[in-house]
Amino acid sequence: MNQKIYEGKAKILYATDDPEILLTHFKDDATAFNAQKKGQIRRKGEINCAIATHLFKFLETQGIPTHFIAQTAPDRMQVTAVKIIPLEVVVRNIAAGSFVARTGIEFGTLLKYPIVEFFYKNDNLGDPLFTEDHIQLLELATPAQVIQLREMALSINNFLQKFFSDRHLTLVDFKLEFGCERSGNILLADEISPDTCRLWDDLTSDPNQKIMDKDRFRQDLGNVATAYEEVLARVKL
Ligand code: 5GP
């Protein structure tokens, strides 16, 4: 049995015989609002693992370095061991979620250009929005790394927007995490899935039915697993 080295809200990380390689287990557990709301989504572990695998492979073909090595079971993925940079890098194309609450820009507004935001990954503080000065002061990343994170995030957004739009899904916003290899190389880490993206179905104009992501769970809209399954089916197209 592999040694568990970290258990997060949606994933468990295990060590392997090779110190450079870790094993990620995707759980069916779902949480929202800093774990104040808890539940399970049927087959989420397998669905998100399959979606993340597909998207990591796609991004690698576009020249984005990721931690993905291989999918080893329906809900397991081998990844390169990295030191996670404790920042959530959010890219937004359309106003939704906390951005609406913070700016007053109307929900659903197409932004003139994609917005990048950094949040400090810290559950005790509720993942606050951080400026570059905050990042420097707490030494979470160097100024050069912040520039690189921003460039990588925007480039990933370009690739994913087109990828999803070809599948009749609008990429509203998403959260990325990055990690540093021992060499200092920055890799895209964590996962990309309906847990970490807002995706709207272009094939319906019904505001409730459009939502294909974790907002269905957050807002108790029902049919959460069905929406995740549909995203997987389209990702595989
Ligand atoms: P917001 O800041 O509007 O709550 O989230 C922006 C985007 O980042 C959404 O797609 C949301 O799913 C994702 N996101 C932000 N923080 C987290 C987080 O802590 N966990 C997950 N899974 N996604 C997050």
Side-chain angles (χ1 to χ4, degrees):
M1 186 61 193
N2 298 69
Q3 189 202 342
K4 189 195 282 193
I5 53 175
Y6 174 78
E7 176 153 9
K9 284 170 269 193
K11 293 187 291 297
I12 304 174
L13 219 48
Y14 294 99
T16 69
D17 294 340
D18 183 340
E20 304 297 328
I21 298 177
L22 301 178
L23 197 61
T24 308
H25 167 71
F26 287 69
K27 300 195 282 186
D28 290 345
D29 295 351
T31 63
F33 313 119
N34 202 9
Q36 287 175 56
K37 180 179 165 81
K38 289 186 180 149
Q40 289 230 318
I41 298 172
R42 182 173 37 86
R43 269 183 27 86
K44 178 169 87 79
E46 293 187 11
I47 297 169
N48 279 2
C49 187
I51 293 173
T53 294
H54 206 94
L55 294 176
F56 281 139
K57 283 184 178 171
F58 164 70
L59 288 170
E60 289 275 358
T61 67
Q62 306 302 308
I64 303 289
T66 80
H67 71 160
F68 177 81
I69 299 173
Q71 188 180 4
T72 54
D75 57 359
R76 281 178 185 231
M77 188 188 278
Q78 264 187 356
V79 298
T80 304
V82 289
K83 187 163 179 283
I84 291 289
I85 299 170
L87 291 171
E88 296 190 340
V89 184
V90 169
V91 183
R92 303 181 187 270
N93 298 305
I94 292 177
S98 73
F99 183 79
V100 169
R102 203 165 36 250
T103 61
I105 294 176
E106 193 183 344
F107 173 81
T109 305
L110 177 64
L111 304 179
K112 276 183 278 190
Y113 45 82
I115 294 287
V116 179
E117 294 174 337
F118 296 96
F119 295 84
Y120 180 27
K121 243 175 91 70
N122 184 317
D123 284 340
N124 291 334
L125 298 175
D127 297 345
L129 179 71
F130 257 29
T131 67
E132 290 195 33
D133 277 357
H134 294 139
I135 296 171
Q136 304 318 328
L137 192 71
L138 271 74
E139 298 180 3
L140 306 180
T142 66
Q145 284 176 329
V146 171
I147 291 170
Q148 197 185 339
L149 293 179
R150 210 185 127 76
E151 280 174 1
M152 284 178 81
L154 286 172
S155 151
I156 291 165
N157 182 49
N158 278 338
F159 296 130
L160 291 185
Q161 257 193 320
K162 167 87 170 68
F163 179 93
F164 282 120
S165 138
D166 287 347
R167 289 155 179 83
H168 306 292
L169 290 165
T170 296
L171 180 60
V172 174
D173 56 31
F174 58 100
K175 182 263 297 182
L176 301 172
E177 293 183 28
F178 294 88
C180 263
E181 285 187 291
R182 229 191 290 279
S183 62
N185 218 15
I186 295 182
L187 304 183
L188 175 64
D190 192 49
E191 67 176 292
I192 308 178
S193 72
D195 269 8
T196 64
C197 302
R198 285 196 172 94
L199 293 165
W200 290 351
D201 187 357
D202 298 340
L203 301 179
T204 173
S205 53
D206 181 301
N208 273 0
Q209 276 183 25
K210 275 186 100 58
I211 298 172
M212 303 292 280
D213 53 69
K214 197 167 153 190
D215 273 351
R216 297 205 77 80
F217 172 77
R218 294 187 185 103
Q219 300 171 29
D220 287 322
L221 297 177
N223 297 324
V224 187
T226 315
Y228 277 53
E229 297 270 10
E230 177 60 21
V231 171
L232 173 58
R234 293 201 203 173
V235 161
K236 279 178 164 170
L237 286 178

